[in-house]
Amino acid sequence: MEHLIRGRFRRIAFSSCSNNLLKYDRHKNHRAICLLWTGRILERNRPRSILYSKYPRREYGMFVVKALRGVLKLRYLLLGGAVAGGSALNQRYQDWKDGLPDLKWLEDVLPDNNKWQEWRGSLIDIKDNVKNNIEIDPRLKALTESKYKEFKNWFDQRLDDAIQAAEANGTSAPKIQGAKQEINNKTIVYARPFAQEDKSKKSEQERLNNLQDEMMLTQIKYQKELEKLEKENKELRKQNILLKQGKKPSMRKVKRSLIDMYSEVLDELADFDSGYNTQDQLPRVVVVGDQSSGKTSVLEMIAQARIFPRGAGEMMTRAPVKVTLSEGPYHVAQFRDSNREFDLTKESDLAELRHEVELRMRNSVRGGKTVSSEVISMTVKGPGLQRMVLVDLPGIISTQTTDMASDTRECIKQMTQAYMNNPNAIILCIQDGSVDAERSNVTDLVSSCDPSGKRTIFVLTKVDLAEENLANPDRIRKILSGKLFPMRALGYFAVVTGRGRKDDSIQTIRDYEETFFTNSKLFKDGVIRSTQVTTRNLSLAVADCFWKMVKETVEQQADAFKARRFNLETEWKNNFPRLRELDRDELFEKARSEILDEIVNLSQVSPKEWEEVLLSKIWQNMSDKVFENIYLPAAQTGSAETFNTAVDIKLRQWAEQGLPLESVESGWQTLESEFRRFFEKARSTPDHDNIFDKLKEAVVNEAMVRHTWENKASEMLRIIQLNTLEDRTIGDKRDWDAAVKFLENSVKDKLQQSELILRELLGPSTKERWMYWRYQTESQTKRCLIKSEIDKILYSNNKHPPDLTYDELTVIKNNVGRNNVEVDNDFIREVWQPVYRKHFLQQALGRAYDCRKAFYLYHQQMEADCSDVVLFHRIQQMVKVTANALRQQITNREARRLDKEIKEVLEEYSQDSDKKETLLVGRRVTLAEELKRVRQIQEKLEEFIQALNKEK
C-alpha cells in the first residue's frame, strides 16, 4: 500500500514538473524549482521515522536544504512576477502606441528647431534696432528723462511680449522681417521731429505728448499687423493640412446680388415664347422717347459709361437693350451670353463694347426688317451705381426714310406699347428740351398707356440748349410742373447729358452738368428746384421707384406663376400620364440615340442578305435597258450570227459607258432602302414613339442627299463587268439551268407588263363586259378591230419582222373600214407595237422551254437556237459579280461614311433651334417646354423673394 501511495505521488510530482517546464521553458532556473518541488513531495511521502532514525546527520542537512529552498522560492517568485508584469506592461504600451494617430505630417507643416531659433533671433534684432534707432533730442531728454525712461521701459516690455507671442504662435520669418523693416522705417520717420524741434514753436510738453500719441499709434498698428499675420498663418496651415490629406480647400460660394437674381428672371421671361400666353408683368424701367431725344445719353449717364453706339441723325437703337445696373468694386460690363468683361475705364474696351452692341443689333434684324424685338441683355457694375433694370427701346419716329422697311414706324410703336402696357413697368419718358413741345410724339403714347401717371417719370433733356433758345423761362417751369404736356407723372426732372461732343467722358459731362445748373438762371431764379436736376438725383429717384414697385408686386407675380405651373402639371397628368416631361433638346437627344442605333443595325445584315437585295435591285434597274436596247433589237434580226454580233457590240458599249454608274446607283439605292427598312421596322414595334418620325425622316433625307459614292468604285466595276460580259462559255448543267430559269422569269415579267399595256389600250374583255357591265370607249373599240387584223397577219407569218409593211397597213385600214371605222397608219402602229411585243415574248418563252434540255447540244457545239440563253447567262454572271463588289463596298466603306454624314447632320440640327421647332411638334412638346420654363421662372422668383425678405 505504501509503495502504491509513493508511486502515485511521484507521478503527480513529475507531471506537475513537466507542466511547469512546458509553461516556463524560457527560464533556465525553472528546472531547479521543479526538482525542489519533486524532492519535497518525496520527502513528505517518506515516513519520518526512517528519515531521522537511520540518518542523524541528515536532519541537519535537511534543515539547511529547507532554508535554502525557502530563499530560492522567494527569489524566483519575485523574479517571475517582475518578468510577467514587465511583459504585460510592455504589451499594453505597444498597444497604446499603435493606437496613436500618425503625426508625421506635422514635420512638413511646422518648421524645425533651427528655423525657430532664426525667427527668435530676428525678433531680438527688431528689439535692438528699435532701441538703437530711436534718438531723443538732448534738450527734451534733460527735461523729460524720467518720462522717457518710463516710456522706454513700457515699450521694451510690450515689444518683448510681442516677440514671445510671435514665437509661440509661429509667425513666419519673412513676414517678421517685413514687420521689422516697417518698424525701422517708422522709428526713423517719427525720430525726425526731434531733430527739427528747435525750429518748432510748440511747447516741449505738447511735442512730447504728440510723440507719445504717435508712438502709441505705431504700437497699436504693429500689434494689429501681428494679429493679421497670425490669422494668415493659421489659414495657410489649414490649407496645407488639407492639401497633405489630399483634400481641396473649401471655396466660398459667390453670393449673387438681388439685382442679378432679378435680372436672371427677366432673361428667362425674355426667352419665353409669347405663344405660351404667360403674362410678364414684372417691374422694369422702360426708357422711351423720340428719336435723337437723348434717351440713350440719359441711360449712359445713369450707367456712368458711354456704352452705346452713336450716329449723326441715324437710327442706332434697332433692338431692345436690357441693362442691369448693380454696385461693384470695378466698373465693368458683360453680355449675358458671354464671359468676357469689358473694362469701362479703358477707352479701347469701351470702343469694343459699342461695336459689339451695334453688331448684335444688326444681327438681330432679319427678313428685311429695320428693327427687331430680340432683347440684347447686358450687365453693368461699378462703384456708386444704383441697382435697377432698364430697357432701352428704339426711338419713336414720325417719318420713315427710304432705307427703312415699310412697317418700321408701326413696329416701333407696337414694341413700345407692349413694354409700357405692363402694369408694373416704370416708364422713363425722355423729352428733348431743345425742340418745341408740339413736335413730341412720345408724350401722347405714354399718356395712353399710363393716363394717371402713377408709374411715369418725365425727364427733360438738353436744358442748356433750352435756356439758350427759350426767351420765356415760364415754359420750362410749366413742363417741370406737369402743366404743359397732356400727361401726368410721378416726378419731373431736368438733365444735361452732354455738349454735343462724342469724345466727352462721363465725368466731363457730369462736371459740365453741375456747372451749368450752378450758374443757370433757371436754377437761381427758382424756376427749377434743386431736387429736380442732375442725372444723379434722377437715378436715385428711378431706383427708389423701381424697388418700391418690385417689393409691392413680385409676390403677386410669383403666385401667378405658381398657379400657371399647377394648371400645366394637371394638364400633363391628364393627357400624358405615363410619359416623362421632355423638352425639345431632351427629345432631340433621345431621337439622336435611336437614329444611331439604326445605323448600327446595318452591320447586322449578313453578306448573303446584302447580295440578295443587291441582285434584285440591280436587275430591277437594268432589266428594261437589257430588253429594249440589247435583247429585243438583236433577237428580232432573225439570225443567230447577227444576234451574237449585235449583242457583243451593245454589251461592250453599255459596259464602257452607263453600266458602272447605273450599278453604283443601284448600290446606293439598296443601302438607302435597307436603312429605311430598319426605321419602318422600328415603327411597327409596340413601344414606338411617333413624335420622332418627322425628325428621323428629315435627318435621313438630308444625309442621303449629301452622300456620294466613291469615284473609284465605278472604275473598278467597269473592269470587272467588261471581263465578265466577254465570257460566253457555260461550264456545267447547273449554270445552264440557272440561265434558262433567269431567262424564263425575265420574259414572263415583261410578258405580264405587255398584257397590262394591251388591256389598257383595248379596254374590258368580252367576259368583263357581259359579267361586270363594263363598256369600251370608241378608241378601244377601234383598237380591238385593229388587233384582230394584226392577229391574222402574225398567225400567217409566225416570224414576222418587227415592222409592218405599207401593204399590210393598207390591208388593215381597208378591213377596219368595212366596219365604218376610219383609222390612220399611226393609230395602227400604236396598236401594233404592244401586240407584236406580246407575240415575240411568247415565242421567246417557248424557245426558253425548248432550251431546258439543250445543254448537251450546246456543249457538243451542235446547232441549237439558244443564243438568248447564253446572253442571259452572261448578264446573270455580270449582275452577280457586280452585287458582290457593291456588297464589299457597302460593308467596308459606304456604311461608315453614311454613319459619319448622319452624325454631322444631327450635330447641325442640334445647334439649330428653328429645325427643332419645325421637326418636333405637338402639344406634348409645347406643354413640356412651357412647364419647364414656368418652373424655372417660379424657382428663380422664389429665390429672389427669399433674398429680398432677408435684406428687409
Side-chain angles (χ1 to χ4, degrees), residues 771-807:
M771 295 186 65
Y772 303 108
W773 295 83
R774 296 178 180 176
Y775 300 95
Q776 293 178 332
T777 63
E778 183 179 355
S779 298
Q780 291 174 346
T781 303
K782 292 180 180 180
R783 294 190 188 103
C784 288
L785 293 176
I786 294 172
K787 180 180 179 299
S788 61
E789 296 297 327
I790 292 174
D791 289 339
K792 295 176 184 179
I793 295 174
L794 293 176
Y795 181 77
S796 61
N797 186 5
N798 196 23
K799 295 184 179 182
H800 193 282
D803 296 324
L804 289 172
T805 63
Y806 180 77
D807 295 337

Side-chain angles (χ1 to χ4, degrees), residues 12-22 30-31 34-35 38:
I12 294 174
F14 281 111
S15 62
S16 176
C17 181
S18 63
N19 293 334
N20 291 330
L21 286 173
L22 292 174
H30 289 172
R31 189 181 303 274
C34 293
L35 292 174
T38 305

Side-chain angles (χ1 to χ4, degrees), residues 830-895:
E830 181 184 351
V831 180
W832 162 260
Q833 292 296 335
V835 173
Y836 178 78
R837 183 185 181 89
K838 179 182 177 181
H839 171 73
F840 178 81
L841 292 174
Q842 288 176 344
Q843 286 185 333
L845 186 60
R847 288 194 301 272
Y849 291 152
D850 295 338
C851 292
R852 288 179 178 177
K853 299 180 180 180
F855 176 72
Y856 176 75
L857 297 176
Y858 168 79
H859 189 67
Q860 297 295 329
Q861 297 182 356
M862 299 175 64
E863 293 183 1
D865 190 11
C866 295
S867 300
D868 45 1
V869 175
V870 178
L871 169 62
F872 275 83
H873 171 73
R874 296 164 67 182
I875 293 175
Q876 186 182 37
Q877 297 302 314
M878 181 271 296
V879 171
K880 287 182 179 179
V881 297
T882 302
N884 185 32
L886 291 175
R887 188 263 303 169
Q888 295 179 4
Q889 183 72 12
I890 289 174
T891 55
N892 295 335
R893 294 286 299 168
E894 299 303 325

Side-chain angles (χ1 to χ4, degrees), residues 369-388:
K369 299 289 184 179
T370 306
V371 294
S372 170
S373 59
E374 184 177 341
V375 180
I376 301 172
S377 180
M378 64 187 303
T379 302
V380 178
K381 297 182 180 181
L385 294 183
Q386 300 298 320
R387 301 180 300 170
M388 68 181 94

Side-chain angles (χ1 to χ4, degrees), residues 312-349:
E314 181 184 359
M315 177 185 290
M316 299 304 296
T317 306
R318 297 176 178 268
V321 182
K322 183 176 75 69
V323 182
T324 303
L325 300 180
S326 62
E327 191 172 5
Y330 305 105
H331 203 188
V332 294
Q334 184 179 4
F335 289 100
R336 174 197 171 194
D337 54 353
S338 175
N339 294 326
R340 180 186 175 183
E341 285 188 348
F342 297 87
D343 189 353
L344 301 184
T345 60
K346 297 180 180 179
E347 188 59 35
S348 59
D349 282 19

